Amino acid sequence: MDESPELRLLFHRLNNQLGIILANAELLEAKAPDGQHRARAAQMIASTLDAMGTAKEIRRHTSLTPEAS
């Protein structure tokens, strides 16, 4: 089953926002002055990647769910 255009747009917007967060977290990690700051940035990166995976799973489940009548 295909997802609605509105839902597709929401997933697109969410992925764009998460991509920006990921890019900034990677930049913070690269420019971190010490191990503590690098570790915090690495946690942000891991959490963002986890959120992206969750969004992908939600999208997969949503596209498999029949529409309510």
Side-chain angles (χ1 to χ4, degrees):
M1 158 157 288
D2 291 327
E3 58 196 35
S4 70
E6 294 86 10
L7 189 57
R8 187 175 301 139
L9 178 62
L10 287 173
F11 279 115
H12 180 76
R13 287 176 48 200
L14 177 60
N15 282 324
N16 283 347
Q17 293 164 344
L18 289 169
I20 291 167
I21 294 167
L22 179 61
N24 280 288
E26 289 173 337
L27 184 60
L28 283 172
E29 183 182 41
K31 294 187 175 223
D34 56 44
Q36 182 181 10
H37 287 92
R38 274 189 296 281
R40 287 182 181 175
Q43 287 176 332
M44 290 170 44
I45 291 168
S47 294
T48 304
L49 290 171
D50 188 42
M52 292 172 114
T54 301
K56 185 176 182 179
E57 279 296 306
I58 293 169
R59 185 174 188 175
R60 187 178 70 82
H61 285 286
T62 303
S63 65
L64 296 176
T65 304
E67 289 183 28
S69 298

